[in-house]
Amino acid sequence: MDEKRMQSVLRTIFPPQCVTCRKLVESEFALCGACWRDTTFISGLICDKCGVPLPGSAGPEMVHCDDCITVARPWDKGRAAMLYKENSRKIVLALKHGDREDLVRPAAGWMLRAGASLIKPNMLVAPVPLHWSRLLKRRYNQAALLGKTISKQANLEFCPDLLRRTSRTAPLDGLTRDERFQALTDVIRPNPKRHEMFENRPVLLIDDVMTSGATLAACTEACFSAGAVEVFVLILARVAKDA
């Protein structure tokens, strides 16, 4: 049986389902109509630093949100696929804590679509790191899974351990913005075994959620300290003030 017929048989036996609610859909790794409506994909005018949507119409000029005007963002540009709310939040939590690795492929596709303008030749893709103890407990780093798939789809080099988290921080949930930045001081550093990979290259940092931006800022500073020429961030979901 040829591959095309085999796929047809498999689709008959195992018809494609919505990646969140499991209703039948027309194609693999898709959302049904209801889940699509409840998933807040970002489009239109966006902040050039964090990707959050802004009021107004998109134009050629670069604009920044209030947070990115008041808080230093060391990276060059950033994009996000969706807002962290409603079904988007369910997707992120299922990927992060629910062992839903099947969500990696569609999520990476959404991210790459949002961040297409960030892709550059010779770019190195790297995930925001987990401390080894948290990785042991969780068994996988969702940012690394996303980064690996994105790098493959974009034909870029991927390094899962480009950065290291040298100490385990307490959960950042509930901390103020300043407390988050303070908690991450000197916590993330470049991996000395990968130092030569940074030299004169742009780096694309991958993470699942951006709240204050403290973790991404720490990762960016580590990349620049090791010789990266530019740093961009690409995230699955952005927490916004009205989210």
Side-chain angles (χ1 to χ4, degrees):
M1 185 180 296
D2 60 35
E3 183 178 352
K4 187 174 182 180
R5 289 182 62 191
M6 177 63 73
Q7 290 177 349
S8 178
V9 171
L10 289 175
R11 283 175 61 88
T12 301
I13 301 174
F14 305 106
Q17 299 176 325
C18 172
V19 296
T20 55
C21 74
R22 300 304 190 185
K23 290 181 180 178
L24 296 183
V25 292
E26 293 184 358
S27 59
E28 299 286 348
F29 306 106
L31 294 168
C32 69
C35 289
W36 182 272
R37 288 191 300 271
D38 289 338
T39 304
T40 314
F41 290 101
I42 295 174
S43 61
L45 182 64
I46 60 171
C47 173
D48 198 52
K49 282 287 187 177
C50 73
V52 73
L54 298 171
S57 301
E61 70 282 354
M62 293 187 298
V63 293
H64 299 127
C65 67
D66 291 344
D67 282 349
C68 292
I69 291 173
T70 58
V71 181
R73 306 296 195 196
W75 59 84
D76 292 271
K77 293 183 179 181
R79 296 292 184 270
M82 57 182 68
L83 287 179
Y84 187 71
K85 59 189 296 186
E86 299 173 337
N87 199 53
S88 307
R89 183 175 183 274
K90 293 179 182 178
I91 291 172
V92 171
L93 293 177
L95 173 60
K96 194 168 190 171
H97 301 297
D99 292 333
R100 288 288 310 277
E101 294 185 35
D102 59 299
L103 291 170
V104 170
R105 181 171 169 179
W110 300 330
M111 292 171 70
L112 194 54
R113 182 179 61 186
S117 63
L118 305 180
I119 305 302
K120 293 194 172 189
N122 199 36
M123 178 171 265
L124 182 62
V125 180
V128 168
L130 284 178
H131 188 258
W132 68 266
S133 60
R134 186 159 283 134
L135 180 61
L136 186 64
K137 180 179 179 180
R138 191 177 295 174
R139 295 183 291 107
Y140 64 87
N141 178 359
Q142 68 279 0
L145 296 178
L146 291 167
K148 182 178 180 180
T149 304
I150 287 169
S151 64
K152 184 176 181 180
Q153 292 180 3
N155 196 29
L156 297 173
E157 185 175 4
F158 174 64
C159 184
D161 61 348
L162 190 70
L163 300 172
R164 296 174 59 189
R165 195 178 286 253
T166 57
S167 61
R168 180 169 179 169
T169 56
L172 301 180
D173 296 342
L175 297 183
T176 66
R177 183 173 61 192
D178 291 343
E179 288 171 340
R180 285 171 177 261
F181 276 85
Q182 182 62 38
L184 288 162
T185 301
D186 296 324
V187 169
I188 297 175
R189 298 178 183 176
N191 186 342
K193 295 180 180 180
R194 307 297 183 213
H195 198 276
E196 72 286 350
M197 299 183 72
F198 287 97
E199 292 294 331
N200 299 315
R201 297 182 71 177
V203 174
L204 181 66
L205 293 174
I206 304 296
D207 206 3
D208 56 346
V209 180
M210 175 181 169
T211 304
S212 68
T215 303
L216 288 164
C219 291
T220 300
E221 296 289 4
C223 289
F224 280 133
S225 72
V229 293
E230 293 177 297
V231 178
F232 303 89
V233 303
L234 181 57
I235 52 183
L236 176 57
R238 173 72 163 102
V239 175
K241 292 179 180 179
D242 60 347

